[in-house]
Amino acid sequence: MSARIGYITRVQSFSACHRLHSKSLSDEENKKVFGKCNNPNGHGHNYKVEVTVRGKIDSRTGMVMNLTDLKDYIEEAIMKPLDHKNLDRDVPYFTDVVSTTENLSVFIWDGLAKILPPDSLVKSCAVRCSSDGPVDGATRVCDCCDVHMLR
């Protein structure tokens, strides 16, 4: 019998703030493109990242990867550099890159790809951000970002 392939997905939440602003655009163009998300004081989000890894199910352990190891990889690639940070000021990657959810997905993907075992990261990384609604406190997908997948 050939080795079975399994998948593990872990969802991790973190909080960060940012301002959508491109150095390639004028202040007027930034306001037009990014709207309220171009507020000079920035705004915050609660992000959820889904990280999926795949691999052969080890016949001895029954695991694709030890979940504790996956948690450690996520801590290193996501939590340490991003949690409770101002993305634009505290994360050097975003010095010249607009801190959209698409670019945040790229940052996370690249960070995980550097430290996970080769070929274990599934060719997608989902990042979802939400904000508390100003009136009813409900969680909503904000105007500036949604779920973005890299394949």
Side-chain angles (χ1 to χ4, degrees):
M1 179 195 259
S2 62
R4 297 288 200 161
I5 302 296
Y7 296 81
I8 300 172
T9 299
R10 182 169 174 90
V11 178
Q12 180 67 53
S13 298
F14 69 94
S15 299
C17 69
H18 69 143
R19 176 188 187 204
L20 293 180
H21 187 86
S22 173
K23 293 177 182 177
S24 302
L25 301 173
S26 69
D27 286 344
E28 185 177 308
E29 290 170 313
N30 272 293
K31 287 177 188 172
K32 183 177 179 182
V33 171
F34 299 120
K36 67 181 181 180
C37 296
N38 183 247
N39 177 347
N41 295 317
H43 61 283
H45 295 289
N46 296 312
Y47 293 92
K48 285 191 179 182
V49 182
E50 297 174 17
V51 177
T52 302
V53 295
R54 69 165 174 250
K56 292 180 182 177
I57 299 173
D58 186 288
S59 62
R60 296 171 295 137
T61 66
M63 296 186 286
V64 170
M65 176 184 289
N66 188 310
L67 286 173
T68 301
D69 294 340
L70 181 55
K71 183 179 176 184
D72 291 344
Y73 292 132
I74 289 171
E75 178 71 22
E76 190 64 32
I78 298 171
M79 299 305 288
K80 284 183 181 177
L82 301 174
D83 191 35
H84 287 87
K85 301 287 174 60
N86 180 320
L87 299 178
D88 305 312
R89 295 180 183 160
D90 299 331
V91 183
Y93 177 84
F94 292 109
T95 299
D96 295 312
V97 174
V98 181
S99 57
T100 61
T101 308
E102 295 90 339
N103 286 328
L104 184 58
S105 296
V106 170
F107 175 83
I108 291 169
W109 174 272
D110 289 349
L112 286 168
K114 288 176 187 174
I115 60 177
L116 280 166
D119 300 319
S120 65
L121 189 59
V122 172
K123 301 271 186 230
S124 67
C125 175
V127 179
R128 179 181 305 274
C129 76
S130 61
S131 300
D132 288 337
V135 178
D136 58 11
T139 299
R140 303 177 185 182
V141 175
C142 72
D143 294 339
C144 62
C145 46
D146 195 353
V147 176
H148 301 280
M149 304 292 282
L150 298 175
R151 296 194 190 276

PDB file of all heavy atoms in Angstrom, residues 2-29:
ATOM      1  N   SER A   2       0.539   2.213  -0.854  1.00  0.00           N
ATOM      2  CA  SER A   2       1.328   3.445  -0.914  1.00  0.00           C
ATOM      3  C   SER A   2       0.999   4.325   0.293  1.00  0.00           C
ATOM      4  O   SER A   2      -0.049   4.203   0.915  1.00  0.00           O
ATOM      5  CB  SER A   2       1.034   4.203  -2.212  1.00  0.00           C
ATOM      6  OG  SER A   2      -0.313   4.581  -2.259  1.00  0.00           O
ATOM      7  N   ALA A   3       1.932   5.210   0.592  1.00  0.00           N
ATOM      8  CA  ALA A   3       1.755   6.097   1.738  1.00  0.00           C
ATOM      9  C   ALA A   3       0.557   7.016   1.522  1.00  0.00           C
ATOM     10  O   ALA A   3       0.348   7.535   0.427  1.00  0.00           O
ATOM     11  CB  ALA A   3       3.011   6.926   1.953  1.00  0.00           C
ATOM     12  N   ARG A   4      -0.212   7.201   2.558  1.00  0.00           N
ATOM     13  CA  ARG A   4      -1.361   8.101   2.500  1.00  0.00           C
ATOM     14  C   ARG A   4      -0.899   9.528   2.750  1.00  0.00           C
ATOM     15  O   ARG A   4      -0.002   9.771   3.539  1.00  0.00           O
ATOM     16  CB  ARG A   4      -2.398   7.731   3.568  1.00  0.00           C
ATOM     17  CG  ARG A   4      -2.990   6.381   3.385  1.00  0.00           C
ATOM     18  CD  ARG A   4      -3.909   6.384   2.200  1.00  0.00           C
ATOM     19  NE  ARG A   4      -4.816   5.254   2.317  1.00  0.00           N
ATOM     20  CZ  ARG A   4      -5.939   5.164   1.668  1.00  0.00           C
ATOM     21  NH1 ARG A   4      -6.305   6.123   0.865  1.00  0.00           N
ATOM     22  NH2 ARG A   4      -6.704   4.122   1.797  1.00  0.00           N
ATOM     23  N   ILE A   5      -1.558  10.469   2.083  1.00  0.00           N
ATOM     24  CA  ILE A   5      -1.261  11.885   2.247  1.00  0.00           C
ATOM     25  C   ILE A   5      -2.356  12.493   3.117  1.00  0.00           C
ATOM     26  O   ILE A   5      -3.538  12.250   2.902  1.00  0.00           O
ATOM     27  CB  ILE A   5      -1.209  12.608   0.882  1.00  0.00           C
ATOM     28  CG1 ILE A   5      -0.168  11.976  -0.043  1.00  0.00           C
ATOM     29  CG2 ILE A   5      -0.971  14.111   1.065  1.00  0.00           C
ATOM     30  CD1 ILE A   5       1.249  12.086   0.458  1.00  0.00           C
ATOM     31  N   GLY A   6      -1.948  13.277   4.096  1.00  0.00           N
ATOM     32  CA  GLY A   6      -2.898  13.941   4.971  1.00  0.00           C
ATOM     33  C   GLY A   6      -2.680  15.440   4.973  1.00  0.00           C
ATOM     34  O   GLY A   6      -1.646  15.942   4.529  1.00  0.00           O
ATOM     35  N   TYR A   7      -3.667  16.146   5.472  1.00  0.00           N
ATOM     36  CA  TYR A   7      -3.632  17.603   5.568  1.00  0.00           C
ATOM     37  C   TYR A   7      -3.966  18.015   6.994  1.00  0.00           C
ATOM     38  O   TYR A   7      -4.826  17.402   7.630  1.00  0.00           O
ATOM     39  CB  TYR A   7      -4.660  18.248   4.628  1.00  0.00           C
ATOM     40  CG  TYR A   7      -4.386  17.998   3.171  1.00  0.00           C
ATOM     41  CD1 TYR A   7      -4.754  16.798   2.564  1.00  0.00           C
ATOM     42  CD2 TYR A   7      -3.750  18.958   2.398  1.00  0.00           C
ATOM     43  CE1 TYR A   7      -4.502  16.562   1.224  1.00  0.00           C
ATOM     44  CE2 TYR A   7      -3.492  18.738   1.056  1.00  0.00           C
ATOM     45  CZ  TYR A   7      -3.874  17.534   0.474  1.00  0.00           C
ATOM     46  OH  TYR A   7      -3.610  17.315  -0.844  1.00  0.00           O
ATOM     47  N   ILE A   8      -3.307  19.040   7.483  1.00  0.00           N
ATOM     48  CA  ILE A   8      -3.614  19.624   8.783  1.00  0.00           C
ATOM     49  C   ILE A   8      -3.808  21.119   8.557  1.00  0.00           C
ATOM     50  O   ILE A   8      -2.978  21.763   7.908  1.00  0.00           O
ATOM     51  CB  ILE A   8      -2.456  19.445   9.787  1.00  0.00           C
ATOM     52  CG1 ILE A   8      -2.138  17.983  10.017  1.00  0.00           C
ATOM     53  CG2 ILE A   8      -2.803  20.127  11.099  1.00  0.00           C
ATOM     54  CD1 ILE A   8      -0.875  17.802  10.849  1.00  0.00           C
ATOM     55  N   THR A   9      -4.890  21.649   9.095  1.00  0.00           N
ATOM     56  CA  THR A   9      -5.124  23.089   9.025  1.00  0.00           C
ATOM     57  C   THR A   9      -5.218  23.626  10.442  1.00  0.00           C
ATOM     58  O   THR A   9      -5.929  23.079  11.269  1.00  0.00           O
ATOM     59  CB  THR A   9      -6.419  23.424   8.264  1.00  0.00           C
ATOM     60  OG1 THR A   9      -6.308  22.943   6.925  1.00  0.00           O
ATOM     61  CG2 THR A   9      -6.672  24.930   8.242  1.00  0.00           C
ATOM     62  N   ARG A  10      -4.494  24.680  10.692  1.00  0.00           N
ATOM     63  CA  ARG A  10      -4.562  25.363  11.986  1.00  0.00           C
ATOM     64  C   ARG A  10      -4.989  26.800  11.715  1.00  0.00           C
ATOM     65  O   ARG A  10      -4.475  27.456  10.808  1.00  0.00           O
ATOM     66  CB  ARG A  10      -3.216  25.337  12.690  1.00  0.00           C
ATOM     67  CG  ARG A  10      -3.259  26.005  14.054  1.00  0.00           C
ATOM     68  CD  ARG A  10      -2.011  25.740  14.860  1.00  0.00           C
ATOM     69  NE  ARG A  10      -2.018  26.488  16.084  1.00  0.00           N
ATOM     70  CZ  ARG A  10      -2.523  26.057  17.241  1.00  0.00           C
ATOM     71  NH1 ARG A  10      -3.024  24.856  17.316  1.00  0.00           N
ATOM     72  NH2 ARG A  10      -2.495  26.804  18.311  1.00  0.00           N
ATOM     73  N   VAL A  11      -5.915  27.284  12.497  1.00  0.00           N
ATOM     74  CA  VAL A  11      -6.378  28.659  12.382  1.00  0.00           C
ATOM     75  C   VAL A  11      -5.765  29.455  13.532  1.00  0.00           C
ATOM     76  O   VAL A  11      -5.839  29.038  14.687  1.00  0.00           O
ATOM     77  CB  VAL A  11      -7.922  28.741  12.443  1.00  0.00           C
ATOM     78  CG1 VAL A  11      -8.378  30.195  12.366  1.00  0.00           C
ATOM     79  CG2 VAL A  11      -8.541  27.920  11.323  1.00  0.00           C
ATOM     80  N   GLN A  12      -5.134  30.553  13.189  1.00  0.00           N
ATOM     81  CA  GLN A  12      -4.484  31.398  14.187  1.00  0.00           C
ATOM     82  C   GLN A  12      -5.023  32.811  14.067  1.00  0.00           C
ATOM     83  O   GLN A  12      -5.151  33.342  12.966  1.00  0.00           O
ATOM     84  CB  GLN A  12      -2.972  31.409  13.960  1.00  0.00           C
ATOM     85  CG  GLN A  12      -2.203  32.244  14.943  1.00  0.00           C
ATOM     86  CD  GLN A  12      -2.263  31.650  16.343  1.00  0.00           C
ATOM     87  OE1 GLN A  12      -1.950  30.485  16.538  1.00  0.00           O
ATOM     88  NE2 GLN A  12      -2.679  32.450  17.298  1.00  0.00           N
ATOM     89  N   SER A  13      -5.335  33.430  15.185  1.00  0.00           N
ATOM     90  CA  SER A  13      -5.810  34.819  15.199  1.00  0.00           C
ATOM     91  C   SER A  13      -4.714  35.737  15.717  1.00  0.00           C
ATOM     92  O   SER A  13      -3.926  35.345  16.572  1.00  0.00           O
ATOM     93  CB  SER A  13      -7.029  34.947  16.124  1.00  0.00           C
ATOM     94  OG  SER A  13      -8.081  34.163  15.648  1.00  0.00           O
ATOM     95  N   PHE A  14      -4.683  36.943  15.184  1.00  0.00           N
ATOM     96  CA  PHE A  14      -3.791  37.970  15.715  1.00  0.00           C
ATOM     97  C   PHE A  14      -4.405  39.331  15.443  1.00  0.00           C
ATOM     98  O   PHE A  14      -5.305  39.470  14.617  1.00  0.00           O
ATOM     99  CB  PHE A  14      -2.372  37.865  15.124  1.00  0.00           C
ATOM    100  CG  PHE A  14      -2.255  38.217  13.671  1.00  0.00           C
ATOM    101  CD1 PHE A  14      -1.908  39.502  13.271  1.00  0.00           C
ATOM    102  CD2 PHE A  14      -2.462  37.259  12.695  1.00  0.00           C
ATOM    103  CE1 PHE A  14      -1.792  39.830  11.928  1.00  0.00           C
ATOM    104  CE2 PHE A  14      -2.341  37.572  11.350  1.00  0.00           C
ATOM    105  CZ  PHE A  14      -2.006  38.856  10.966  1.00  0.00           C
ATOM    106  N   SER A  15      -3.936  40.320  16.157  1.00  0.00           N
ATOM    107  CA  SER A  15      -4.429  41.683  16.006  1.00  0.00           C
ATOM    108  C   SER A  15      -3.295  42.590  15.559  1.00  0.00           C
ATOM    109  O   SER A  15      -2.166  42.445  16.016  1.00  0.00           O
ATOM    110  CB  SER A  15      -4.982  42.199  17.336  1.00  0.00           C
ATOM    111  OG  SER A  15      -6.060  41.408  17.757  1.00  0.00           O
ATOM    112  N   ALA A  16      -3.613  43.504  14.659  1.00  0.00           N
ATOM    113  CA  ALA A  16      -2.615  44.457  14.172  1.00  0.00           C
ATOM    114  C   ALA A  16      -3.338  45.665  13.601  1.00  0.00           C
ATOM    115  O   ALA A  16      -4.531  45.608  13.299  1.00  0.00           O
ATOM    116  CB  ALA A  16      -1.725  43.820  13.104  1.00  0.00           C
ATOM    117  N   CYS A  17      -2.603  46.744  13.456  1.00  0.00           N
ATOM    118  CA  CYS A  17      -3.169  47.930  12.820  1.00  0.00           C
ATOM    119  C   CYS A  17      -2.321  48.284  11.599  1.00  0.00           C
ATOM    120  O   CYS A  17      -1.183  47.814  11.448  1.00  0.00           O
ATOM    121  CB  CYS A  17      -3.252  49.098  13.801  1.00  0.00           C
ATOM    122  SG  CYS A  17      -1.660  49.791  14.292  1.00  0.00           S
ATOM    123  N   HIS A  18      -2.895  49.107  10.741  1.00  0.00           N
ATOM    124  CA  HIS A  18      -2.186  49.550   9.544  1.00  0.00           C
ATOM    125  C   HIS A  18      -2.917  50.733   8.933  1.00  0.00           C
ATOM    126  O   HIS A  18      -4.006  51.099   9.358  1.00  0.00           O
ATOM    127  CB  HIS A  18      -2.055  48.406   8.524  1.00  0.00           C
ATOM    128  CG  HIS A  18      -3.349  48.003   7.886  1.00  0.00           C
ATOM    129  ND1 HIS A  18      -3.438  47.625   6.576  1.00  0.00           N
ATOM    130  CD2 HIS A  18      -4.606  47.916   8.368  1.00  0.00           C
ATOM    131  CE1 HIS A  18      -4.690  47.315   6.281  1.00  0.00           C
ATOM    132  NE2 HIS A  18      -5.415  47.482   7.356  1.00  0.00           N
ATOM    133  N   ARG A  19      -2.312  51.286   7.928  1.00  0.00           N
ATOM    134  CA  ARG A  19      -2.915  52.337   7.119  1.00  0.00           C
ATOM    135  C   ARG A  19      -2.686  51.958   5.673  1.00  0.00           C
ATOM    136  O   ARG A  19      -1.543  51.680   5.277  1.00  0.00           O
ATOM    137  CB  ARG A  19      -2.251  53.682   7.391  1.00  0.00           C
ATOM    138  CG  ARG A  19      -2.779  54.795   6.483  1.00  0.00           C
ATOM    139  CD  ARG A  19      -1.968  56.065   6.640  1.00  0.00           C
ATOM    140  NE  ARG A  19      -2.587  57.156   5.892  1.00  0.00           N
ATOM    141  CZ  ARG A  19      -1.926  58.215   5.455  1.00  0.00           C
ATOM    142  NH1 ARG A  19      -0.628  58.348   5.728  1.00  0.00           N
ATOM    143  NH2 ARG A  19      -2.547  59.164   4.780  1.00  0.00           N
ATOM    144  N   LEU A  20      -3.738  51.932   4.888  1.00  0.00           N
ATOM    145  CA  LEU A  20      -3.558  51.667   3.465  1.00  0.00           C
ATOM    146  C   LEU A  20      -3.143  52.962   2.787  1.00  0.00           C
ATOM    147  O   LEU A  20      -3.921  53.924   2.716  1.00  0.00           O
ATOM    148  CB  LEU A  20      -4.841  51.102   2.852  1.00  0.00           C
ATOM    149  CG  LEU A  20      -5.225  49.716   3.354  1.00  0.00           C
ATOM    150  CD1 LEU A  20      -6.504  49.234   2.685  1.00  0.00           C
ATOM    151  CD2 LEU A  20      -4.099  48.716   3.128  1.00  0.00           C
ATOM    152  N   HIS A  21      -1.896  52.984   2.339  1.00  0.00           N
ATOM    153  CA  HIS A  21      -1.325  54.191   1.741  1.00  0.00           C
ATOM    154  C   HIS A  21      -0.168  53.773   0.841  1.00  0.00           C
ATOM    155  O   HIS A  21       0.733  53.060   1.270  1.00  0.00           O
ATOM    156  CB  HIS A  21      -0.809  55.139   2.832  1.00  0.00           C
ATOM    157  CG  HIS A  21      -0.363  56.456   2.313  1.00  0.00           C
ATOM    158  ND1 HIS A  21      -1.219  57.506   2.118  1.00  0.00           N
ATOM    159  CD2 HIS A  21       0.866  56.884   1.942  1.00  0.00           C
ATOM    160  CE1 HIS A  21      -0.545  58.538   1.642  1.00  0.00           C
ATOM    161  NE2 HIS A  21       0.726  58.191   1.525  1.00  0.00           N
ATOM    162  N   SER A  22      -0.213  54.207  -0.392  1.00  0.00           N
ATOM    163  CA  SER A  22       0.841  53.881  -1.353  1.00  0.00           C
ATOM    164  C   SER A  22       1.707  55.098  -1.612  1.00  0.00           C
ATOM    165  O   SER A  22       1.198  56.177  -1.942  1.00  0.00           O
ATOM    166  CB  SER A  22       0.228  53.403  -2.671  1.00  0.00           C
ATOM    167  OG  SER A  22       1.233  53.245  -3.649  1.00  0.00           O
ATOM    168  N   LYS A  23       3.018  54.924  -1.487  1.00  0.00           N
ATOM    169  CA  LYS A  23       3.954  56.007  -1.772  1.00  0.00           C
ATOM    170  C   LYS A  23       3.952  56.366  -3.257  1.00  0.00           C
ATOM    171  O   LYS A  23       4.419  57.430  -3.644  1.00  0.00           O
ATOM    172  CB  LYS A  23       5.367  55.617  -1.337  1.00  0.00           C
ATOM    173  CG  LYS A  23       5.497  55.471   0.169  1.00  0.00           C
ATOM    174  CD  LYS A  23       6.888  55.021   0.566  1.00  0.00           C
ATOM    175  CE  LYS A  23       6.992  54.831   2.067  1.00  0.00           C
ATOM    176  NZ  LYS A  23       8.302  54.329   2.477  1.00  0.00           N
ATOM    177  N   SER A  24       3.409  55.475  -4.086  1.00  0.00           N
ATOM    178  CA  SER A  24       3.343  55.703  -5.530  1.00  0.00           C
ATOM    179  C   SER A  24       2.165  56.584  -5.929  1.00  0.00           C
ATOM    180  O   SER A  24       2.052  56.971  -7.087  1.00  0.00           O
ATOM    181  CB  SER A  24       3.209  54.363  -6.271  1.00  0.00           C
ATOM    182  OG  SER A  24       4.284  53.532  -5.973  1.00  0.00           O
ATOM    183  N   LEU A  25       1.278  56.879  -4.983  1.00  0.00           N
ATOM    184  CA  LEU A  25       0.096  57.685  -5.269  1.00  0.00           C
ATOM    185  C   LEU A  25       0.156  59.002  -4.494  1.00  0.00           C
ATOM    186  O   LEU A  25       0.773  59.075  -3.433  1.00  0.00           O
ATOM    187  CB  LEU A  25      -1.172  56.931  -4.856  1.00  0.00           C
ATOM    188  CG  LEU A  25      -1.439  55.580  -5.514  1.00  0.00           C
ATOM    189  CD1 LEU A  25      -2.631  54.898  -4.869  1.00  0.00           C
ATOM    190  CD2 LEU A  25      -1.652  55.745  -7.012  1.00  0.00           C
ATOM    191  N   SER A  26      -0.517  60.008  -5.014  1.00  0.00           N
ATOM    192  CA  SER A  26      -0.625  61.280  -4.289  1.00  0.00           C
ATOM    193  C   SER A  26      -1.574  61.075  -3.105  1.00  0.00           C
ATOM    194  O   SER A  26      -2.297  60.079  -3.029  1.00  0.00           O
ATOM    195  CB  SER A  26      -1.187  62.366  -5.215  1.00  0.00           C
ATOM    196  OG  SER A  26      -2.550  62.082  -5.517  1.00  0.00           O
ATOM    197  N   ASP A  27      -1.571  62.038  -2.192  1.00  0.00           N
ATOM    198  CA  ASP A  27      -2.489  61.956  -1.052  1.00  0.00           C
ATOM    199  C   ASP A  27      -3.936  61.882  -1.526  1.00  0.00           C
ATOM    200  O   ASP A  27      -4.738  61.106  -1.001  1.00  0.00           O
ATOM    201  CB  ASP A  27      -2.303  63.154  -0.113  1.00  0.00           C
ATOM    202  CG  ASP A  27      -1.029  63.045   0.710  1.00  0.00           C
ATOM    203  OD1 ASP A  27      -0.448  61.938   0.785  1.00  0.00           O
ATOM    204  OD2 ASP A  27      -0.615  64.067   1.289  1.00  0.00           O
ATOM    205  N   GLU A  28      -4.261  62.662  -2.550  1.00  0.00           N
ATOM    206  CA  GLU A  28      -5.623  62.664  -3.098  1.00  0.00           C
ATOM    207  C   GLU A  28      -5.960  61.302  -3.718  1.00  0.00           C
ATOM    208  O   GLU A  28      -7.055  60.770  -3.509  1.00  0.00           O
ATOM    209  CB  GLU A  28      -5.753  63.777  -4.140  1.00  0.00           C
ATOM    210  CG  GLU A  28      -7.163  63.930  -4.683  1.00  0.00           C
ATOM    211  CD  GLU A  28      -7.268  65.097  -5.648  1.00  0.00           C
ATOM    212  OE1 GLU A  28      -6.840  66.219  -5.280  1.00  0.00           O
ATOM    213  OE2 GLU A  28      -7.773  64.876  -6.760  1.00  0.00           O
ATOM    214  N   GLU A  29      -5.018  60.733  -4.469  1.00  0.00           N
ATOM    215  CA  GLU A  29      -5.258  59.413  -5.064  1.00  0.00           C
ATOM    216  C   GLU A  29      -5.407  58.332  -3.985  1.00  0.00           C
ATOM    217  O   GLU A  29      -6.260  57.448  -4.091  1.00  0.00           O
ATOM    218  CB  GLU A  29      -4.109  59.034  -6.007  1.00  0.00           C
ATOM    219  CG  GLU A  29      -4.075  59.850  -7.278  1.00  0.00           C
ATOM    220  CD  GLU A  29      -2.799  59.615  -8.080  1.00  0.00           C
ATOM    221  OE1 GLU A  29      -1.691  59.641  -7.475  1.00  0.00           O
ATOM    222  OE2 GLU A  29      -2.915  59.394  -9.295  1.00  0.00           O
TER     223      GLU A  29
END
